[in-house]
């Protein structure tokens, strides 16, 4: 039952943690790829352009197909915590009128009681939005909003870094902030490259914890790809015999594997810390515990794939450097 519940929540691709201490979730390996195609319509034939000057109407190719935005949006509703962070990071925060109950960053985001995984069309429409951004459609959300003439952009969980950057540029095009989005992507790429290049070569193993029942991620997931930038070996890989991507490990397995590094992505949702890990039966002798290599993460930063991805990468780089420092 636990595995089924985790799988269901993962499919919703919502934020890792909420103020109500919901179970952590992470980006899935959904394969829908978003491509930013910007089409400017004039009295002449439509043309495709990469202009950085806001021009509308524009059409972006989202996961739900081509979406046309007639005018620069001024009343955006975001039901995706990752999209919310991106909108504010590219300068479109002033155009956002409401965000879902999981979009707790940045602080100025207008958090509402809207739900990203159990959306209510009437509640969304009450904000009179001219653009809605979602990461999950339970079945009829997009079609319902389409019927009402409200453009919807679906941005599922990133399957890789290209998806991350495409989604940012997509929102930039849709909101009239393409230049800002392109600059953000460039800065993220530079910061990530710098963090990876500055980290020492590390022949290290690691365990990424999603919750205290030992659900983890494998190298096939986006989170696993982030760790892969540093050449770290994921101890969860051999345990994922069915290729699920999010295996539940056992305490005995973890003790036997004895990872060099333990990353806790359940500090907010589940109150885990280096101290609570050390108190687990048999864990006080683990290499990571003995050597102070249990790294607490912000659940949200570790599960979202927006601008704060850089923070996640840099935290891994710092952990690797600490191990390699004489």
């Amino acid at each position: 039952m636990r595995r089924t519940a985790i799988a269901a929540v993962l499919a919703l691709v919502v934020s890792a943690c909420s103020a109500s201490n919901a179970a952590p979730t992470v980006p899935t390996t959904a394969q829908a790829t978003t491509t930013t195609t910007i089409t400017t319509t004039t009295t002449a034939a439509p043309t495709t352009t990469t202009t950085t000057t806001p021009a509308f109407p524009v059409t972006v190719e989202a996961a739900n197909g081509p979406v046309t935005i007639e005018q620069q949006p001024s009343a955006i509703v975001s039901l995706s915590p990752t999209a919310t962070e991106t909108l504010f990071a590219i300068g479109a925060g002033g155009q956002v009128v409401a965000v879902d109950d999981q979009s707790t960053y940045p602080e100025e985001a207008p958090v509402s009681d809207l739900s990203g995984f159990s959306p209510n069309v009437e509640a969304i429409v009450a904000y009179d939005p001219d653009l809605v951004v979602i990461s999950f459609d339970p079945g009829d959300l997009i079609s319902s909003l389409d019927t009402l003439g409200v453009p919807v952009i679906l941005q599922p969980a990133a399957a890789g870094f290209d998806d991350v950057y495409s989604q940012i540029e997509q929102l930039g095009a849709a909101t009239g902030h393409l230049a800002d989005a392109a600059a953000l992507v460039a800065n993220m790429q530079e910061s990530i490259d710098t963090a990876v290049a500055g980290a020492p070569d590390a022949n290290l193993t690691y365990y990424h914890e999603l919750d205290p029942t030992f659900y983890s991620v494998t190298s096939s997931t986006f989170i696993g790809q982030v760790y892969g930038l540093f050449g770290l070996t994921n101890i969860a890989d051999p345990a994922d015999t069915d290729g699920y991507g999010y295996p539940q490990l056992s305490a005995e397995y973890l003790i036997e594997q004895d990872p060099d590094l333990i990353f806790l992505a359940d500090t907010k949702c589940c109150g885990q810390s280096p101290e609570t890990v050390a108190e687990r039966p048999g864990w006080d002798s683990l290499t990571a515990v003995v050597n102070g290599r249990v790294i607490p993460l912000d659940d949200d930063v570790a599960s979202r794939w927006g601008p704060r991805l850089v923070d996640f990468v840099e935290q891994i780089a710092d952990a690797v450097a600490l191990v390699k420092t004489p």
Side-chain angles (χ1 to χ4, degrees), residues 20-257:
S20 60
N21 289 340
T25 61
V26 299
T28 70
T29 54
Q31 295 301 313
T33 300
T34 53
T35 302
T36 304
T37 301
I38 311 160
T39 304
T40 303
T41 305
T42 65
T43 54
T47 59
T48 299
T49 176
T50 56
T51 177
T52 57
T53 302
F56 289 85
V58 298
T59 297
V60 296
E61 192 68 31
N64 54 312
V67 179
T68 298
I69 298 101
E70 296 295 338
Q71 297 180 336
Q72 184 172 19
S74 59
I76 302 170
V77 170
S78 172
L79 302 183
S80 162
T82 294
T84 297
E85 294 189 15
T86 298
L87 288 165
F88 278 84
I90 64 175
Q95 298 159 248
V96 178
V97 295
V99 301
D100 69 290
D101 55 3
Q102 301 295 305
S103 290
T104 55
Y105 185 90
E107 291 184 0
E108 60 267 32
V111 179
S112 71
D113 59 359
L114 294 175
S115 171
F117 58 91
S118 298
N120 181 298
V121 174
E122 291 184 359
I124 296 170
V125 173
Y127 287 94
D128 195 23
D130 46 18
L131 177 63
V132 175
V133 186
I134 64 175
S135 62
F136 168 72
D137 186 345
D140 59 358
L141 176 60
I142 293 175
S143 59
S144 297
L145 291 174
D146 281 345
T147 299
L148 296 172
V150 180
V152 184
I153 291 178
L154 171 63
Q155 294 191 324
F161 286 90
D162 286 345
D163 281 353
V164 172
Y165 303 137
S166 290
Q167 288 185 7
I168 292 172
E169 291 175 343
Q170 187 181 94
L171 289 181
T175 61
H177 295 273
L178 183 57
D180 297 304
L184 174 60
V185 167
N187 288 337
M188 288 178 64
Q189 291 173 324
E190 181 179 0
S191 296
I192 290 173
D193 287 346
T194 298
V196 174
D201 293 335
N203 183 23
L204 301 170
T205 59
Y206 77 94
Y207 161 58
H208 180 97
E209 181 169 287
L210 294 177
D211 72 7
T213 67
F214 313 134
Y215 270 93
S216 188
V217 299
T218 67
S219 298
S220 66
T221 65
F222 178 61
I223 290 176
Q225 292 177 45
V226 177
Y227 285 106
L229 294 174
F230 298 91
L232 301 178
T233 299
N234 190 336
I235 66 165
D237 288 350
D240 190 28
T241 55
D242 59 1
Y244 171 54
Y246 301 91
Q248 184 178 27
L249 310 178
S250 67
E252 293 76 15
Y253 178 83
L254 288 162
I255 292 172
E256 178 184 352
Q257 293 296 314

